[in-house]
Amino acid sequence: MREVIVAVTARAHQAVLDEALPEVEVRLLPDGLDEAVFVIPAGEPGVTEALPRIETLAVVQTLSAGTDWVEPYVPRWATLCSAVGSRDVPVAEWVMAALLAPPARLLDAVRRPEWEDRRPGELHGQTVLIVGHGSIGRAVEARLAPFGAKVVGVASRAREGVHGIDELPDLIHAADAVVVLVPLSDATRGMFGAELLALMRDGALFVNAGRGAVVDTDALVAELERGRIRAILDVTEPEPLPAGHPLWDLALAITPHHAGDSPQADERAVEFAVEQLGRFVRGEPLRNIVRDKML
């Protein structure tokens, strides 16, 4: 086996890699970057910016499902891989909480702790439009099935049982809830603008657990100010959302982009990175390739 120098994100990750692959030299970020072959970044200051200067770099393996934050820095001679699948469970559970809380009037009870009649609604029978029907979207759909909700899936391209993104304007008005899970790209940036949001039915719930920049924030604020739709957000544009921003008062709830960050998901992501490193060392095909090397 060939020796590989690896830069990892935390001492705990280093221990896991050392135990699983003792033949590999493991170093802590940011040390060892100049000689690194397989890098596992997690957004540490200065690390992503250093990637284009690493001539030995062969693989960048993220611990996140989304890779938009690192894509501009991965040089053409390196392969970029994601941890898609490792965070499906907590994101899907967060989405379920977002869909269940409003009809149960739980958020009203938190905001106004008073003994007053708040008749609940039901998730049963509602139409939930999932925009971004990948592994997380499928996990949400599976969890919605026992609740009797109707799920309509939308993906970048149509396939059996799933609509294409070009059909979204014709589908969105029928939805009681719109769940956004699309990754950020040139094609999705700002896709939920004023025109598309205006097509949502009155009283519909907008749930974003994908990326904040796929939504035009000003357009969302305008719709929420009218009181026509409601929103629960895990992601915003900008991030962090500054104090005093109108979304804090207008949205039913906002969490700080942490839907996928359960300890169990972190463990699965690291385990996947270890598996990927093993494949690389053995010369086996990598999984979850977002962008292959261009040389």
Side-chain angles (χ1 to χ4, degrees):
M1 290 188 180
R2 50 185 168 166
E3 181 180 274
V4 180
I5 297 175
V6 184
V8 295
T9 59
R11 192 169 300 279
H13 301 168
Q14 183 187 37
V16 172
L17 290 166
D18 279 337
E19 182 177 357
L21 296 163
E23 71 276 16
V24 173
E25 181 179 350
V26 180
R27 300 181 184 178
L28 290 174
L29 286 174
D31 297 336
L33 275 176
D34 291 342
E35 300 173 286
V37 175
F38 194 105
V39 176
I40 309 171
E44 300 85 357
V47 172
T48 51
E49 294 82 358
L51 296 178
R53 301 193 298 270
I54 307 175
E55 297 181 358
T56 56
L57 186 61
V59 178
V60 175
Q61 172 65 58
T62 70
L63 299 176
S64 58
T67 58
D68 53 277
W69 55 275
V70 72
E71 287 175 18
Y73 302 99
V74 178
R76 66 184 185 281
W77 57 84
T79 296
L80 172 63
C81 301
S82 74
V84 163
S86 62
R87 303 187 182 276
D88 293 1
V89 170
V91 177
E93 291 185 356
W94 183 95
V95 170
M96 289 301 300
L99 293 173
L100 285 165
R105 307 298 296 272
L106 296 179
L107 299 176
D108 292 340
V110 170
R111 290 194 170 195
R112 298 196 311 274
E114 302 170 358
W115 191 273
E116 61 177 297
D117 184 28
R118 300 187 182 104
R119 294 176 63 81
E122 296 180 355
L123 181 57
H124 179 87
Q126 289 194 12
T127 297
V128 179
L129 182 66
I130 299 177
V131 186
H133 201 270
S135 62
I136 296 175
R138 291 190 295 271
V140 173
E141 181 172 12
R143 285 159 176 77
L144 280 168
F147 289 88
K150 176 185 177 182
V151 173
V152 179
V154 175
S156 57
R157 290 179 296 275
R159 57 180 185 268
E160 185 176 357
V162 179
H163 298 269
I165 197 69
D166 57 310
E167 301 176 72
L168 182 56
D170 297 325
L171 298 169
I172 196 168
H173 181 69
D176 298 290
V178 177
V179 176
V180 181
L181 297 169
V182 293
L184 181 62
S185 67
D186 290 340
T188 63
R189 185 179 297 276
M191 67 180 294
F192 283 91
E195 184 175 348
L196 191 57
L197 291 173
L199 295 176
M200 290 181 64
R201 66 165 51 174
D202 291 353
L205 177 66
F206 185 81
V207 177
N208 191 1
R211 286 291 187 268
V214 305
V215 180
D216 180 330
T217 299
D218 291 340
L220 179 60
V221 166
E223 289 290 354
L224 295 176
E225 285 179 336
R226 295 187 190 102
R228 206 182 61 76
I229 65 173
R230 302 165 297 157
I232 296 179
L233 310 170
D234 182 55
V235 291
T236 61
E237 175 65 23
E239 286 186 4
L241 190 66
H245 193 284
L247 277 177
W248 286 116
D249 292 324
L250 293 169
L252 296 179
I254 298 175
T255 53
H257 200 155
H258 71 191
D261 293 340
S262 68
Q264 298 92 328
D266 290 344
E267 291 177 7
R268 286 191 292 268
V270 173
E271 288 171 0
F272 181 76
V274 170
E275 292 174 10
Q276 285 280 80
L277 177 56
R279 292 186 190 98
F280 177 76
V281 171
R282 295 187 295 271
E284 298 172 359
L286 298 173
R287 295 170 53 196
N288 289 2
I289 294 177
V290 176
R291 193 180 75 203
D292 209 348
K293 60 184 178 181
M294 301 178 188
L295 292 181

